[in-house]
Amino acid sequence: MAAALSAVLGGFAVPARADAGLPSLVDVAARRLDVADLVAAAKWGTGKPIEDPAREQQILNSVAERSVAMGIDPEAAQRVFRDQIEAGKLVQRGLFARWAARPGDVPAHRPDLEKEVRPLLDRITGELLADLKETRDARRAPSCRAELVKAVGRVEAARRPDALHRAGLLRAIPSIC
């Protein structure tokens, strides 16, 4: 299992705090999308749907509660996390389509969603919330969109995502500013 997680996360990861501010926030969003690969692998062939409205609402409720405790606007945090969830589903759908077309690309290991994958997502949720708090002023600044474009460029240059993960990252960021 460690090798599978390392292959998904370790091969592309930039250190979590490699850069402060918006680049760090974008990097955390990109790492969350790496975990979407594991979610897809856990669900593939099991009949579990990509869409899970009850789980999504649990995440959003938890984000709101944690945001209040951290002094973050809970509605703003929920908007960002809605985008994260939609981006994750976009990646999962893309992987399902890829695997249906090329069965040889299906991962050999099926991670346990509850025991292996969700703890990773929970940790990344905390990191994303911390970065939302840290970047509050930058996200409110008139220059936010321009700085966000630069941050995405830096993260993409470091990570070199494929087209699917690049599309996912672009879907993950609209509510940041």
Side-chain angles (χ1 to χ4, degrees), residues 118-177:
R118 288 199 175 140
L120 287 172
L121 287 171
D122 291 344
R123 189 190 79 221
I124 291 171
T125 294
E127 292 177 33
L128 193 56
L129 286 169
D131 278 351
L132 286 174
K133 182 175 182 167
E134 180 183 314
T135 59
R136 186 189 73 144
D137 293 339
R139 292 183 297 106
R140 293 179 177 176
S143 62
C144 183
R145 292 268 177 222
E147 293 302 316
L148 185 59
V149 168
K150 290 178 193 174
V152 169
R154 290 174 74 180
V155 169
E156 286 182 339
R159 293 176 152 276
R160 302 179 191 268
D162 62 15
L164 176 60
H165 289 82
R166 183 171 195 283
L169 184 58
L170 295 177
R171 178 63 188 94
I173 64 169
S175 295
I176 288 176
C177 294

Short mmCIF file of all heavy atoms in Angstrom, two decimals, residues 118-177:
data_model
loop_
_atom_site.label_atom_id
_atom_site.label_comp_id
_atom_site.label_asym_id
_atom_site.label_seq_id
_atom_site.Cartn_x
_atom_site.Cartn_y
_atom_site.Cartn_z
N ARG A 118 -9.56 8.13 2.89
CA ARG A 118 -10.20 9.24 3.61
C ARG A 118 -9.29 9.88 4.65
O ARG A 118 -9.33 11.10 4.82
CB ARG A 118 -11.54 8.82 4.19
CG ARG A 118 -12.56 8.66 3.06
CD ARG A 118 -13.98 8.68 3.51
NE ARG A 118 -14.84 8.65 2.34
CZ ARG A 118 -15.95 7.96 2.25
NH1 ARG A 118 -16.35 7.23 3.28
NH2 ARG A 118 -16.67 7.99 1.15
N PRO A 119 -8.44 9.12 5.36
CA PRO A 119 -7.50 9.80 6.26
C PRO A 119 -6.56 10.77 5.52
O PRO A 119 -6.23 11.83 6.05
CB PRO A 119 -6.73 8.65 6.91
CG PRO A 119 -7.69 7.49 6.86
CD PRO A 119 -8.42 7.66 5.56
N LEU A 120 -6.16 10.42 4.30
CA LEU A 120 -5.35 11.34 3.50
C LEU A 120 -6.14 12.60 3.17
O LEU A 120 -5.63 13.72 3.28
CB LEU A 120 -4.91 10.68 2.19
CG LEU A 120 -3.84 9.62 2.26
CD1 LEU A 120 -3.68 8.93 0.90
CD2 LEU A 120 -2.52 10.22 2.70
N LEU A 121 -7.39 12.40 2.76
CA LEU A 121 -8.24 13.56 2.44
C LEU A 121 -8.47 14.43 3.67
O LEU A 121 -8.47 15.65 3.56
CB LEU A 121 -9.56 13.09 1.84
CG LEU A 121 -9.48 12.55 0.41
CD1 LEU A 121 -10.80 11.92 0.01
CD2 LEU A 121 -9.07 13.64 -0.56
N ASP A 122 -8.66 13.80 4.81
CA ASP A 122 -8.86 14.57 6.05
C ASP A 122 -7.63 15.42 6.38
O ASP A 122 -7.76 16.58 6.77
CB ASP A 122 -9.19 13.64 7.22
CG ASP A 122 -10.56 13.00 7.09
OD1 ASP A 122 -11.38 13.48 6.28
OD2 ASP A 122 -10.81 12.00 7.79
N ARG A 123 -6.44 14.85 6.19
CA ARG A 123 -5.21 15.60 6.45
C ARG A 123 -5.10 16.78 5.48
O ARG A 123 -4.77 17.90 5.86
CB ARG A 123 -3.99 14.70 6.33
CG ARG A 123 -2.71 15.41 6.81
CD ARG A 123 -1.46 14.65 6.49
NE ARG A 123 -1.19 14.89 5.07
CZ ARG A 123 -0.77 13.98 4.21
NH1 ARG A 123 -0.58 12.75 4.58
NH2 ARG A 123 -0.55 14.28 2.96
N ILE A 124 -5.39 16.53 4.22
CA ILE A 124 -5.30 17.59 3.21
C ILE A 124 -6.36 18.65 3.48
O ILE A 124 -6.11 19.84 3.26
CB ILE A 124 -5.40 16.98 1.80
CG1 ILE A 124 -4.13 16.18 1.51
CG2 ILE A 124 -5.61 18.06 0.75
CD1 ILE A 124 -4.17 15.35 0.25
N THR A 125 -7.52 18.26 3.98
CA THR A 125 -8.55 19.24 4.34
C THR A 125 -8.01 20.22 5.37
O THR A 125 -8.19 21.43 5.25
CB THR A 125 -9.82 18.54 4.86
OG1 THR A 125 -10.40 17.80 3.79
CG2 THR A 125 -10.84 19.52 5.41
N GLY A 126 -7.33 19.70 6.38
CA GLY A 126 -6.74 20.57 7.39
C GLY A 126 -5.71 21.52 6.80
O GLY A 126 -5.65 22.70 7.15
N GLU A 127 -4.88 21.01 5.89
CA GLU A 127 -3.87 21.84 5.24
C GLU A 127 -4.52 22.92 4.38
O GLU A 127 -4.08 24.07 4.38
CB GLU A 127 -2.95 20.99 4.38
CG GLU A 127 -2.06 20.06 5.17
CD GLU A 127 -1.21 19.18 4.26
OE1 GLU A 127 -0.82 19.63 3.16
OE2 GLU A 127 -0.92 18.04 4.66
N LEU A 128 -5.59 22.53 3.67
CA LEU A 128 -6.27 23.49 2.82
C LEU A 128 -6.93 24.59 3.66
O LEU A 128 -6.85 25.77 3.32
CB LEU A 128 -7.31 22.77 1.95
CG LEU A 128 -7.92 23.52 0.78
CD1 LEU A 128 -6.86 24.03 -0.17
CD2 LEU A 128 -8.87 22.60 0.03
N LEU A 129 -7.54 24.20 4.76
CA LEU A 129 -8.13 25.21 5.65
C LEU A 129 -7.06 26.13 6.22
O LEU A 129 -7.27 27.35 6.29
CB LEU A 129 -8.91 24.53 6.77
CG LEU A 129 -10.25 23.93 6.37
CD1 LEU A 129 -10.81 23.05 7.49
CD2 LEU A 129 -11.25 25.02 5.98
N ALA A 130 -5.93 25.59 6.62
CA ALA A 130 -4.84 26.42 7.14
C ALA A 130 -4.37 27.41 6.08
O ALA A 130 -4.12 28.60 6.38
CB ALA A 130 -3.68 25.55 7.63
N ASP A 131 -4.26 26.95 4.84
CA ASP A 131 -3.85 27.85 3.76
C ASP A 131 -4.93 28.89 3.45
O ASP A 131 -4.61 30.03 3.11
CB ASP A 131 -3.48 27.06 2.51
CG ASP A 131 -2.07 26.52 2.55
OD1 ASP A 131 -1.30 26.89 3.46
OD2 ASP A 131 -1.72 25.71 1.66
N LEU A 132 -6.19 28.51 3.56
CA LEU A 132 -7.26 29.50 3.37
C LEU A 132 -7.14 30.61 4.42
O LEU A 132 -7.30 31.79 4.10
CB LEU A 132 -8.64 28.84 3.43
CG LEU A 132 -9.04 28.02 2.22
CD1 LEU A 132 -10.37 27.30 2.50
CD2 LEU A 132 -9.16 28.90 0.98
N LYS A 133 -6.86 30.22 5.64
CA LYS A 133 -6.70 31.22 6.70
C LYS A 133 -5.48 32.11 6.41
O LYS A 133 -5.56 33.33 6.50
CB LYS A 133 -6.55 30.53 8.06
CG LYS A 133 -6.42 31.52 9.20
CD LYS A 133 -6.40 30.84 10.54
CE LYS A 133 -6.32 31.90 11.63
NZ LYS A 133 -6.60 31.34 12.94
N GLU A 134 -4.38 31.49 6.06
CA GLU A 134 -3.14 32.22 5.80
C GLU A 134 -3.27 33.18 4.62
O GLU A 134 -2.63 34.23 4.60
CB GLU A 134 -2.01 31.23 5.54
CG GLU A 134 -0.67 31.89 5.26
CD GLU A 134 0.40 30.88 4.93
OE1 GLU A 134 0.51 29.87 5.65
OE2 GLU A 134 1.13 31.10 3.95
N THR A 135 -4.08 32.83 3.64
CA THR A 135 -4.17 33.63 2.41
C THR A 135 -5.40 34.53 2.38
O THR A 135 -5.72 35.07 1.32
CB THR A 135 -4.20 32.71 1.17
OG1 THR A 135 -5.32 31.83 1.27
CG2 THR A 135 -2.91 31.91 1.04
N ARG A 136 -6.03 34.73 3.49
CA ARG A 136 -7.27 35.53 3.51
C ARG A 136 -7.09 36.88 2.83
O ARG A 136 -7.87 37.25 1.95
CB ARG A 136 -7.75 35.72 4.94
CG ARG A 136 -9.11 36.42 5.00
CD ARG A 136 -9.44 36.77 6.41
NE ARG A 136 -8.57 37.90 6.76
CZ ARG A 136 -8.93 38.90 7.53
NH1 ARG A 136 -10.11 38.90 8.09
NH2 ARG A 136 -8.12 39.88 7.79
N ASP A 137 -6.06 37.62 3.21
CA ASP A 137 -5.86 38.95 2.62
C ASP A 137 -5.53 38.86 1.13
O ASP A 137 -6.04 39.64 0.34
CB ASP A 137 -4.77 39.71 3.37
CG ASP A 137 -5.19 40.06 4.80
OD1 ASP A 137 -6.42 40.08 5.09
OD2 ASP A 137 -4.29 40.32 5.62
N ALA A 138 -4.68 37.92 0.75
CA ALA A 138 -4.31 37.75 -0.65
C ALA A 138 -5.53 37.39 -1.49
O ALA A 138 -5.67 37.85 -2.63
CB ALA A 138 -3.24 36.68 -0.80
N ARG A 139 -6.44 36.58 -0.94
CA ARG A 139 -7.62 36.16 -1.69
C ARG A 139 -8.64 37.28 -1.84
O ARG A 139 -9.47 37.25 -2.73
CB ARG A 139 -8.27 34.93 -1.02
CG ARG A 139 -7.41 33.68 -1.13
CD ARG A 139 -8.03 32.43 -0.54
NE ARG A 139 -8.28 32.52 0.89
CZ ARG A 139 -9.48 32.68 1.45
NH1 ARG A 139 -10.57 32.74 0.71
NH2 ARG A 139 -9.59 32.76 2.76
N ARG A 140 -8.55 38.28 -0.99
CA ARG A 140 -9.45 39.43 -1.07
C ARG A 140 -8.87 40.59 -1.87
O ARG A 140 -9.58 41.53 -2.18
CB ARG A 140 -9.77 39.92 0.34
CG ARG A 140 -10.60 38.95 1.14
CD ARG A 140 -10.86 39.48 2.52
NE ARG A 140 -11.72 38.59 3.28
CZ ARG A 140 -12.04 38.77 4.54
NH1 ARG A 140 -11.57 39.81 5.21
NH2 ARG A 140 -12.83 37.92 5.15
N ALA A 141 -7.59 40.53 -2.17
CA ALA A 141 -6.91 41.62 -2.86
C ALA A 141 -7.36 41.71 -4.32
O ALA A 141 -7.69 40.70 -4.94
CB ALA A 141 -5.40 41.40 -2.80
N PRO A 142 -7.36 42.92 -4.87
CA PRO A 142 -7.71 43.08 -6.29
C PRO A 142 -6.79 42.29 -7.22
O PRO A 142 -7.20 41.89 -8.31
CB PRO A 142 -7.54 44.59 -6.53
CG PRO A 142 -7.64 45.21 -5.19
CD PRO A 142 -7.12 44.20 -4.21
N SER A 143 -5.57 42.03 -6.79
CA SER A 143 -4.61 41.30 -7.62
C SER A 143 -4.74 39.78 -7.49
O SER A 143 -3.95 39.04 -8.08
CB SER A 143 -3.19 41.72 -7.23
OG SER A 143 -2.95 41.37 -5.87
N CYS A 144 -5.73 39.29 -6.76
CA CYS A 144 -5.83 37.86 -6.49
C CYS A 144 -5.86 37.02 -7.76
O CYS A 144 -5.13 36.04 -7.87
CB CYS A 144 -7.06 37.55 -5.62
SG CYS A 144 -7.15 35.78 -5.19
N ARG A 145 -6.67 37.37 -8.72
CA ARG A 145 -6.78 36.55 -9.94
C ARG A 145 -5.43 36.46 -10.66
O ARG A 145 -5.03 35.37 -11.08
CB ARG A 145 -7.85 37.10 -10.89
CG ARG A 145 -9.24 36.97 -10.35
CD ARG A 145 -9.87 35.69 -10.80
NE ARG A 145 -11.19 35.58 -10.21
CZ ARG A 145 -11.67 34.47 -9.70
NH1 ARG A 145 -10.97 33.37 -9.74
NH2 ARG A 145 -12.86 34.43 -9.16
N ALA A 146 -4.74 37.58 -10.79
CA ALA A 146 -3.44 37.58 -11.46
C ALA A 146 -2.44 36.75 -10.67
O ALA A 146 -1.66 35.97 -11.25
CB ALA A 146 -2.93 39.01 -11.63
N GLU A 147 -2.45 36.88 -9.35
CA GLU A 147 -1.53 36.10 -8.52
C GLU A 147 -1.89 34.61 -8.54
O GLU A 147 -1.01 33.76 -8.49
CB GLU A 147 -1.53 36.63 -7.08
CG GLU A 147 -0.95 38.03 -6.96
CD GLU A 147 0.48 38.14 -7.47
OE1 GLU A 147 1.30 37.24 -7.17
OE2 GLU A 147 0.77 39.12 -8.18
N LEU A 148 -3.18 34.31 -8.65
CA LEU A 148 -3.62 32.92 -8.73
C LEU A 148 -3.13 32.28 -10.03
O LEU A 148 -2.67 31.13 -10.03
CB LEU A 148 -5.14 32.83 -8.61
CG LEU A 148 -5.75 31.43 -8.56
CD1 LEU A 148 -5.21 30.64 -7.37
CD2 LEU A 148 -7.27 31.54 -8.47
N VAL A 149 -3.20 33.01 -11.13
CA VAL A 149 -2.70 32.51 -12.41
C VAL A 149 -1.21 32.19 -12.29
O VAL A 149 -0.75 31.15 -12.75
CB VAL A 149 -2.98 33.52 -13.55
CG1 VAL A 149 -2.22 33.15 -14.82
CG2 VAL A 149 -4.47 33.61 -13.84
N LYS A 150 -0.45 33.08 -11.66
CA LYS A 150 0.99 32.84 -11.46
C LYS A 150 1.21 31.61 -10.58
O LYS A 150 2.10 30.79 -10.85
CB LYS A 150 1.64 34.05 -10.80
CG LYS A 150 1.75 35.26 -11.69
CD LYS A 150 2.37 36.41 -10.90
CE LYS A 150 2.22 37.73 -11.60
NZ LYS A 150 2.71 38.85 -10.76
N ALA A 151 0.41 31.48 -9.54
CA ALA A 151 0.55 30.34 -8.63
C ALA A 151 0.27 29.03 -9.36
O ALA A 151 0.99 28.03 -9.18
CB ALA A 151 -0.39 30.50 -7.43
N VAL A 152 -0.78 29.01 -10.18
CA VAL A 152 -1.10 27.81 -10.96
C VAL A 152 0.07 27.48 -11.89
O VAL A 152 0.48 26.32 -12.00
CB VAL A 152 -2.41 27.98 -11.74
CG1 VAL A 152 -2.61 26.87 -12.76
CG2 VAL A 152 -3.60 28.04 -10.79
N GLY A 153 0.62 28.48 -12.53
CA GLY A 153 1.75 28.26 -13.42
C GLY A 153 2.95 27.65 -12.69
O GLY A 153 3.59 26.72 -13.19
N ARG A 154 3.22 28.14 -11.50
CA ARG A 154 4.35 27.61 -10.71
C ARG A 154 4.09 26.17 -10.30
O ARG A 154 4.99 25.32 -10.38
CB ARG A 154 4.57 28.48 -9.48
CG ARG A 154 5.12 29.85 -9.83
CD ARG A 154 5.19 30.74 -8.64
NE ARG A 154 6.29 30.33 -7.78
CZ ARG A 154 6.59 30.93 -6.65
NH1 ARG A 154 5.89 31.96 -6.23
NH2 ARG A 154 7.60 30.50 -5.92
N VAL A 155 2.87 25.90 -9.86
CA VAL A 155 2.55 24.54 -9.43
C VAL A 155 2.58 23.58 -10.62
O VAL A 155 3.11 22.47 -10.53
CB VAL A 155 1.20 24.50 -8.68
CG1 VAL A 155 0.72 23.08 -8.45
CG2 VAL A 155 1.33 25.25 -7.35
N GLU A 156 2.02 24.00 -11.74
CA GLU A 156 2.04 23.13 -12.93
C GLU A 156 3.47 22.89 -13.41
O GLU A 156 3.80 21.78 -13.83
CB GLU A 156 1.19 23.73 -14.04
CG GLU A 156 -0.29 23.61 -13.78
CD GLU A 156 -1.15 24.16 -14.90
OE1 GLU A 156 -0.65 24.97 -15.71
OE2 GLU A 156 -2.32 23.77 -14.96
N ALA A 157 4.32 23.90 -13.35
CA ALA A 157 5.71 23.72 -13.77
C ALA A 157 6.42 22.71 -12.86
O ALA A 157 7.23 21.91 -13.34
CB ALA A 157 6.44 25.07 -13.75
N ALA A 158 6.11 22.74 -11.58
CA ALA A 158 6.74 21.82 -10.63
C ALA A 158 6.18 20.41 -10.74
O ALA A 158 6.91 19.43 -10.63
CB ALA A 158 6.58 22.34 -9.20
N ARG A 159 4.87 20.30 -10.98
CA ARG A 159 4.21 18.99 -10.95
C ARG A 159 4.08 18.33 -12.31
O ARG A 159 3.96 17.13 -12.40
CB ARG A 159 2.80 19.14 -10.36
CG ARG A 159 2.82 19.53 -8.91
CD ARG A 159 1.39 19.76 -8.42
NE ARG A 159 1.37 19.46 -7.02
CZ ARG A 159 1.21 18.25 -6.51
NH1 ARG A 159 0.99 17.24 -7.26
NH2 ARG A 159 1.26 18.08 -5.21
N ARG A 160 3.97 19.13 -13.35
CA ARG A 160 3.78 18.63 -14.72
C ARG A 160 2.58 17.68 -14.82
O ARG A 160 2.72 16.51 -15.19
CB ARG A 160 5.04 17.97 -15.23
CG ARG A 160 6.23 18.90 -15.24
CD ARG A 160 7.47 18.21 -15.73
NE ARG A 160 8.64 19.01 -15.49
CZ ARG A 160 9.15 19.88 -16.36
NH1 ARG A 160 8.59 20.04 -17.53
NH2 ARG A 160 10.23 20.58 -16.05
N PRO A 161 1.39 18.17 -14.49
CA PRO A 161 0.21 17.30 -14.52
C PRO A 161 -0.18 16.92 -15.95
O PRO A 161 0.09 17.66 -16.89
CB PRO A 161 -0.88 18.17 -13.89
CG PRO A 161 -0.46 19.57 -14.19
CD PRO A 161 1.05 19.55 -14.13
N ASP A 162 -0.82 15.76 -16.07
CA ASP A 162 -1.38 15.38 -17.36
C ASP A 162 -2.61 16.26 -17.62
O ASP A 162 -3.02 17.05 -16.77
CB ASP A 162 -1.71 13.89 -17.41
CG ASP A 162 -2.77 13.45 -16.40
OD1 ASP A 162 -3.48 14.29 -15.83
OD2 ASP A 162 -2.89 12.23 -16.18
N ALA A 163 -3.19 16.13 -18.81
CA ALA A 163 -4.31 16.98 -19.20
C ALA A 163 -5.49 16.84 -18.25
O ALA A 163 -6.16 17.83 -17.92
CB ALA A 163 -4.73 16.68 -20.64
N LEU A 164 -5.77 15.62 -17.81
CA LEU A 164 -6.89 15.40 -16.90
C LEU A 164 -6.68 16.13 -15.58
O LEU A 164 -7.59 16.80 -15.08
CB LEU A 164 -7.09 13.90 -16.66
CG LEU A 164 -8.17 13.52 -15.65
CD1 LEU A 164 -9.54 14.02 -16.09
CD2 LEU A 164 -8.18 12.00 -15.45
N HIS A 165 -5.51 16.00 -15.01
CA HIS A 165 -5.25 16.65 -13.71
C HIS A 165 -5.11 18.16 -13.86
O HIS A 165 -5.44 18.90 -12.94
CB HIS A 165 -4.04 16.01 -13.05
CG HIS A 165 -4.34 14.63 -12.57
ND1 HIS A 165 -4.30 13.54 -13.40
CD2 HIS A 165 -4.74 14.18 -11.36
CE1 HIS A 165 -4.65 12.47 -12.72
NE2 HIS A 165 -4.93 12.82 -11.48
N ARG A 166 -4.67 18.63 -15.01
CA ARG A 166 -4.63 20.07 -15.26
C ARG A 166 -6.07 20.60 -15.30
O ARG A 166 -6.38 21.63 -14.71
CB ARG A 166 -3.90 20.39 -16.55
CG ARG A 166 -3.80 21.90 -16.77
CD ARG A 166 -2.89 22.24 -17.95
NE ARG A 166 -2.54 23.64 -17.93
CZ ARG A 166 -3.35 24.62 -18.31
NH1 ARG A 166 -4.57 24.35 -18.76
NH2 ARG A 166 -2.97 25.88 -18.26
N ALA A 167 -6.95 19.90 -16.01
CA ALA A 167 -8.36 20.31 -16.05
C ALA A 167 -8.96 20.27 -14.65
O ALA A 167 -9.72 21.17 -14.26
CB ALA A 167 -9.14 19.41 -16.99
N GLY A 168 -8.61 19.25 -13.88
CA GLY A 168 -9.09 19.17 -12.51
C GLY A 168 -8.61 20.34 -11.67
O GLY A 168 -9.38 20.93 -10.91
N LEU A 169 -7.34 20.69 -11.82
CA LEU A 169 -6.80 21.82 -11.05
C LEU A 169 -7.51 23.11 -11.42
O LEU A 169 -7.87 23.90 -10.53
CB LEU A 169 -5.29 21.94 -11.27
CG LEU A 169 -4.59 23.01 -10.45
CD1 LEU A 169 -4.79 22.80 -8.95
CD2 LEU A 169 -3.10 23.06 -10.79
N LEU A 170 -7.74 23.33 -12.69
CA LEU A 170 -8.45 24.54 -13.10
C LEU A 170 -9.88 24.56 -12.57
O LEU A 170 -10.42 25.61 -12.25
CB LEU A 170 -8.41 24.69 -14.62
CG LEU A 170 -7.01 24.90 -15.20
CD1 LEU A 170 -7.07 24.95 -16.73
CD2 LEU A 170 -6.34 26.14 -14.62
N ARG A 171 -10.49 23.39 -12.42
CA ARG A 171 -11.84 23.30 -11.83
C ARG A 171 -11.80 23.51 -10.33
O ARG A 171 -12.78 23.94 -9.72
CB ARG A 171 -12.46 21.93 -12.18
CG ARG A 171 -13.84 21.71 -11.58
CD ARG A 171 -14.83 22.72 -12.12
NE ARG A 171 -16.10 22.68 -11.46
CZ ARG A 171 -16.45 23.45 -10.42
NH1 ARG A 171 -15.59 24.32 -9.89
NH2 ARG A 171 -17.65 23.38 -9.90
N ALA A 172 -10.67 23.23 -9.71
CA ALA A 172 -10.56 23.30 -8.25
C ALA A 172 -10.36 24.72 -7.70
O ALA A 172 -10.54 24.93 -6.51
CB ALA A 172 -9.38 22.42 -7.78
N ILE A 173 -10.03 25.67 -8.55
CA ILE A 173 -9.58 26.97 -8.04
C ILE A 173 -10.51 28.17 -8.20
O ILE A 173 -10.20 29.24 -7.67
CB ILE A 173 -8.21 27.33 -8.60
CG1 ILE A 173 -8.27 27.50 -10.12
CG2 ILE A 173 -7.16 26.30 -8.18
CD1 ILE A 173 -7.04 28.09 -10.73
N PRO A 174 -11.63 28.10 -8.91
CA PRO A 174 -12.39 29.33 -9.18
C PRO A 174 -12.82 30.12 -7.94
O PRO A 174 -12.88 31.35 -8.00
CB PRO A 174 -13.63 28.86 -9.95
CG PRO A 174 -13.28 27.55 -10.49
CD PRO A 174 -12.25 26.96 -9.57
N SER A 175 -13.09 29.47 -6.85
CA SER A 175 -13.59 30.16 -5.66
C SER A 175 -12.49 30.66 -4.74
O SER A 175 -12.78 31.23 -3.69
CB SER A 175 -14.53 29.26 -4.88
OG SER A 175 -15.68 28.98 -5.64
N ILE A 176 -11.23 30.46 -5.11
CA ILE A 176 -10.15 30.90 -4.25
C ILE A 176 -10.15 32.42 -4.11
O ILE A 176 -9.95 32.95 -3.01
CB ILE A 176 -8.79 30.37 -4.74
CG1 ILE A 176 -8.72 28.85 -4.45
CG2 ILE A 176 -7.63 31.11 -4.12
CD1 ILE A 176 -7.48 28.17 -4.97
N CYS A 177 -10.37 33.14 -5.19
CA CYS A 177 -10.40 34.62 -5.14
C CYS A 177 -11.82 35.14 -5.01
O CYS A 177 -12.74 34.57 -5.51
CB CYS A 177 -9.78 35.20 -6.39
SG CYS A 177 -8.01 34.87 -6.54
#
